Structures are given as structure tokens and as C-alpha cells.
């Protein structure tokens, strides 16, 4: 294109721009600035992060307390100074600011003309409101709370990157049960980064199957320092944790909402260590005591049974068991002797009767008749001959006498 060739006019609308006809930055930036300037001022609430002062101006980042979002704010140093010494990282502010687009940097920020510190009473009211809302959802119900394992092999610990909470938990737990192991996640426990870091640490430990219980520990602090542990996002993250969770924030005056949703609240990190793992010395003492009680109970039971046994054995029936049958034995012997005598008498009488009957039988017997010289004549078929007409001449006969028999034949009748 020659130098004398006129350049085409820029597109009027952003939709009309093309790779061959783009808007230069100098053309776009004023449009954005003009659009932003038409926006009305707005009241904004957030948590202070990275507060810095340069000459008469303060620069700070206002961060949302529930999600990872933030904006840049500038205001006069005098506005911040009027709030007193309570303004710093972690403080809650409400600012009245107008959006401003910086042409050179291409960045958006907010210029605040009114800065107000959220008071302690208002924060307490908000926490109380959140407590009622979450309570109505059932997040604090006892039925949701899980029992801690009796002897966890691995304990998850969420604590500050620097502080005594980690030492208190680990040293006391290992002093009670040396074999316990820890999965430690060191995070920020106050300020704007506390909520996302603590929530992420809880979720990470909850995903590890070997972790049997999780302890969130902090060594106390001011009410403002503990505000993250009453944050809705953190409380819901703790409620969603499937692993038993112990809250050990260490604040006695105002219990953070994390204490209410946790499965167990410990007053201090040291108390958490005592509640999470048993004391090996105490357990051994309990076992020894249980053995002593068992031995004493068994000895007492044996002694009681021995006494009862001796009592029963001392009774005449068991001391001299023969007494139970002695009287019966005498009676049996008497009956047996009486039976024997009766039987002998009956046998004697029967024998006498038999002898008498034998005499009668012998007297009536044909043999006795034969002994007197009589004979019995029988035919060959055994029939007794009682008269001459019962035989014929030539018939064979048998003649029975007392001491035998004779053969005969009829010669005449």
C-alpha cells in the first residue's frame, strides 16, 4: 500500500472487527473506560488482603470470604486511619466504591470514597444467623456424628504452618500410643486464605482410605482470627467429610461453628490428642485391673461353689450314702429269707404230696398188679385180650409179666 493511499476507517462496532480490520488498543481501551465510568458506585463487602500504604493512598485486595474471588480497591489513607488500628489483613470491610479502568495497565479496580469496618456485634449476629440456618438443615444433629475409632493407625492433622498446635497433638498422641502415624497438612489457619486451604486439606485427607480420623487444630486466638472456622463454606466442607473429624480450635469463650459440625469437639490440641488415641499405660493398667477383677471373681465363685459342695457332701445322704439303702437292705434280706422259708415249706409239702400220690399211683399202676403175679395178654396189634372170644386158634400173643414179657400162641379156646 502506498503512502498516499488513504487508510480505511475503523469498524464502528466490535462485531464488525476482522483480522484485517482490528481495533487497536488505543481505540478499545477508552471504550472500556467509558463503559466502566457509566457504572454507578456500589457498596462492597469483603475481607482485607495485602493492605499497603503509599503516600496518601492505601491499596488493598478485598476478597470474598466464601469463594476464591477478589477485587482491587484503592482509598485514601485518611479513610483507613479513621477506622483505627483494627484494620489489617483479615479485617472485614464494607466500602462504597466506583469502578475505574486504568488505560495504561488495562486493569479494573475500585476507588472507595467511604470505608467502614464491620463491627464485632454484626459479625456475631451473622454467625448466629448462619448457626440457625445450618442447624435447621440438620448439620449439627447428634445423629450425624460418627464415633471415633478406638485405636486409629493413621491420624490426619490439619494445622498451621508454624505454631504449637502440631507439636501438642503429635507429641501427646505419640506419648500415649507410640505406634500412631500422622498425615499432616500445614495450611493457613487465619486470614482470607484459611477457608480454601483448610477445606482443601480436609477433602484431601478424607480421600485417603488409610486416614481413620482427622483433627483440625489451632492454638486459640482472637475472635477475628477464628472467623474462618465459622465460615459457611468451611463448615459445609467439614459436614461432607466421611472420616470422623475432631475440632480442636482451642477457643473457650465463643465456639466456632466448626465445633458444632465436628464429630467431636476438643478444648485444645492437647485434649484432641488425648481423645483421639488411648494411653498405652492406662490401657495396660486397665487390662491388669481387669485381670485382677476376673481372677478375684473366679476365685470367689470357686470358693462359693466349694462351700456349697462341702455343704452338700456333709449331709448324711452324701456323707454315708449306705444309710439310704441300709433299711431297704434289711427288709430285702428279711423278705428274701421269708421267701426262702416259704418256698422250702411249699416244696416240702409238695414233696410229701408227690410221695403220697406216687404211692397211690403205684398202687393203682398195672405194674403193681403184675408184681402180685398177674399178667397182661396182648394180641400182635397191642390190643389187650379181655376174653377168649377175642382170639382165635393160632393167634400170636404177648404175655407181659412183672419182669418182662413172654411170646405165646393160642392152641385152643
Amino acid at each position: 500500500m502506498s503512502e498516499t493511499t488513504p487508510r480505511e476507517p475503523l469498524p464502528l462496532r466490535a462485531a464488525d472487527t476482522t483480522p484485517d480490520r482490528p481495533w487497536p488498543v488505543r481505540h478499545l481501551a477508552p471504550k472500556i473506560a467509558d463503559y466502566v465510568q457509566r457504572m454507578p458506585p456500589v457498596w462492597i463487602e469483603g475481607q482485607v488482603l495485602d493492605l499497603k500504604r503509599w503516600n496518601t493512598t492505601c491499596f488493598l485486595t478485598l476478597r470474598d470470604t466464601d469463594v476464591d474471588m477478589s477485587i482491587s480497591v484503592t482509598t485514601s489513607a485518611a479513610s483507613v486511619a479513621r477506622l483505627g488500628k483494627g484494620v489489617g489483613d483479615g479485617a472485614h470491610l464494607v466500602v462504597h466504591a466506583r469502578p475505574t479502568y486504568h488505560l495504561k495497565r488495562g486493569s479494573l479496580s475500585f476507588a472507595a470514597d467511604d470505608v467502614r469496618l464491620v463491627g464485632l456485634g454484626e459479625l456475631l449476629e451473622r454467625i448466629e444467623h448462619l448457626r440457625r440456618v445450618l442447624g435447621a438443615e440438620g448439620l449439627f444433629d447428634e445423629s450425624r456424628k460418627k464415633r471415633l475409632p478406638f485405636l486409629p493407625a493413621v491420624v490426619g492433622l490439619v494445622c498451621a504452618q508454624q505454631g504449637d498446635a502440631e507439636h501438642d497433638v503429635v507429641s501427646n498422641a505419640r506419648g500415649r500410643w507410640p505406634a500412631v502415624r500422622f498425615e499432616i497438612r500445614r495450611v493457613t489457619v487465619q486470614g482470607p486464605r484459611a477457608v480454601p486451604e483448610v477445606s482443601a486439606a480436609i477433602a484431601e485427607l478424607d480421600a485417603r482410605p488409610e486416614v481413620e480420623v482427622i483433627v483440625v487444630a489451632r492454638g486459640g486466638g482472637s475472635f477475628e482470627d477464628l472467623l474462618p472456622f465459622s465460615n459457611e463454606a468451611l463448615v459445609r466442607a467439614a459436614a461432607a467429610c466421611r472420616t470422623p473429624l475432631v475440632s480442636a480450635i482451642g477457643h473457650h469463650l465463643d465456639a466456632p461453628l466448626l465445633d458444632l459440625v465436628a464429630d467431636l469437639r476438643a478444648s485444645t490440641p492437647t485434649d484432641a490428642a488425648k481423645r483421639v488415641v488411648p494411653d498405652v499405660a492406662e490401657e495396660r493398667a486397665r487390662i491388669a485391673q481387669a485381670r485382677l477383677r476376673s481372677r478375684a471373681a473366679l476365685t470367689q465363685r470357686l470358693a462359693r461353689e466349694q462351700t456349697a459342695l462341702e455343704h452338700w457332701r456333709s449331709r448324711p445322704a452324701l456323707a454315708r450314702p449306705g444309710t439310704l439303702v441300709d433299711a431297704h437292705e434289711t427288709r430285702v434280706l428279711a423278705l428274701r429269707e421269708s421267701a426262702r422259708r416259704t418256698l422250702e415249706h411249699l416244696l416240702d409239702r409238695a414233696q410229701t404230696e408227690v410221695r403220697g400220690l406216687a404211692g397211690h399211683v403205684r398202687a393203682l399202676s398195672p405194674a403193681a398188679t403184675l408184681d402180685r403175679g398177674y399178667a397182661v395178654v396182648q394180641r400182635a396189634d397191642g390190643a389187650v385180650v379181655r376174653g377168649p372170644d377175642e382170639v382165635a386158634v393160632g393167634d400170636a400173643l404177648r404175655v407181659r409179666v412183672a419182669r418182662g414179657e413172654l411170646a405165646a400162641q393160642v392152641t385152643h379156646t
Side-chain angles (χ1 to χ4, degrees):
M1 182 181 294
S2 63
E3 295 180 0
T4 59
T5 301
R7 300 184 65 177
E8 296 183 6
L10 294 174
L12 296 179
R13 298 182 306 168
D16 297 332
T17 59
T18 65
D20 297 327
R21 300 180 64 197
W23 276 357
V25 174
R26 66 177 179 275
H27 185 76
L28 174 62
K31 290 180 177 295
I32 297 176
D34 181 64
Y35 178 80
V36 171
Q37 286 177 0
R38 292 199 299 271
M39 294 178 62
V42 59
W43 286 98
I44 312 168
E45 179 189 355
Q47 193 173 24
V48 176
L49 182 66
D50 296 331
L51 176 63
K52 298 177 182 178
R53 177 174 177 173
W54 187 76
N55 292 334
T56 59
T57 305
C58 284
F59 300 88
L60 59 95
T61 299
L62 206 59
R63 186 184 183 282
D64 192 277
T65 57
D66 293 333
V67 296
D68 190 12
M69 293 183 182
S70 59
I71 59 173
S72 298
V73 178
T74 59
T75 187
S76 64
S79 299
V80 175
R82 284 195 297 270
L83 301 179
K85 297 181 180 180
V87 179
D89 288 356
H92 285 252
L93 296 181
V94 174
V95 301
H96 186 260
R98 179 183 295 276
T100 302
Y101 183 77
H102 300 277
L103 294 176
K104 292 184 179 180
R105 298 192 302 272
S107 60
L108 179 69
S109 65
F110 287 79
D113 55 15
D114 192 355
V115 180
R116 301 181 183 182
L117 183 66
V118 178
L120 180 61
E122 185 175 353
L123 290 175
L124 286 172
E125 183 178 352
R126 293 181 184 181
I127 292 176
E128 183 60 30
H129 174 72
L130 180 59
R131 185 199 307 271
R132 291 193 297 268
V133 171
L134 298 181
E137 294 182 17
L139 265 63
F140 305 147
D141 292 349
E142 290 295 328
S143 59
R144 295 187 66 261
K145 298 187 182 301
K146 299 173 284 294
R147 295 184 60 183
L148 270 61
F150 171 70
L151 185 60
V154 180
V155 176
L157 176 60
V158 181
C159 58
Q161 298 177 357
Q162 294 179 348
D164 297 331
E166 177 181 347
H167 175 268
D168 292 344
V169 174
V170 174
S171 61
N172 282 280
R174 287 179 175 164
R176 295 169 61 84
W177 199 271
V180 66
R181 294 186 292 114
F182 282 89
E183 280 290 334
I184 302 176
R185 297 296 179 269
R186 300 176 180 87
V187 297
T188 303
V189 294
Q190 70 181 58
R193 289 190 294 268
V195 172
E197 291 187 15
V198 174
S199 301
I202 292 175
E204 181 183 353
L205 292 173
D206 187 38
R208 299 178 69 92
E210 68 273 17
V211 175
E212 300 179 52
V213 62
I214 299 173
V215 178
V216 180
R218 175 192 164 93
S222 65
F223 174 78
E224 291 79 5
D225 293 340
L226 301 182
L227 284 176
F229 296 99
S230 293
N231 182 274
E232 181 177 0
L234 177 56
V235 172
R236 293 190 181 277
C241 183
R242 295 168 298 178
T243 307
L245 187 139
V246 178
S247 174
I249 306 305
H251 195 266
H252 298 282
L253 300 179
D254 300 296
L257 297 186
L258 181 64
D259 286 352
L260 303 180
V261 78
D263 299 298
L264 178 68
R265 177 188 181 274
S267 58
T268 61
T270 300
D271 181 49
K274 295 179 179 180
R275 306 285 288 276
V276 168
V277 296
D279 189 337
V280 62
E282 291 181 1
E283 294 304 319
R284 287 176 177 173
R286 289 176 182 174
I287 292 175
Q289 187 177 9
R291 286 177 176 174
L292 290 176
R293 287 199 301 265
S294 299
R295 184 179 293 109
L298 182 58
T299 302
Q300 184 179 4
R301 179 64 180 271
L302 291 175
R304 186 167 60 250
E305 296 298 329
Q306 181 68 26
T307 302
L309 182 59
E310 292 176 354
H311 169 73
W312 286 108
R313 289 181 60 186
S314 65
R315 297 176 67 88
L318 294 180
R320 295 183 298 278
T323 57
L324 295 175
V325 297
D326 286 346
H328 298 287
E329 181 184 14
T330 303
R331 183 181 179 189
V332 168
L333 292 176
L335 292 174
R336 185 179 67 177
E337 183 63 23
S338 175
R340 186 183 61 79
R341 290 194 301 269
T342 301
L343 180 60
E344 289 179 352
H345 174 71
L346 292 175
L347 290 176
D348 291 343
R349 188 172 64 180
Q351 186 178 9
T352 302
E353 291 179 356
V354 168
R355 288 175 181 173
L357 291 174
H360 290 294
V361 170
R362 283 195 298 271
L364 297 176
S365 173
T369 303
L370 294 178
D371 286 341
R372 293 196 299 271
Y374 292 94
V376 179
V377 181
Q378 294 176 306
R379 293 197 304 261
D381 58 0
V384 176
V385 179
R386 292 179 173 83
D389 56 344
E390 294 181 359
V391 296
V393 176
D395 288 346
L397 299 175
R398 293 172 54 198
V399 181
R400 291 187 60 187
V401 295
R403 289 185 290 275
E405 63 181 29
L406 299 174
Q409 187 176 15
V410 178
T411 56
H412 61 273
T413 58

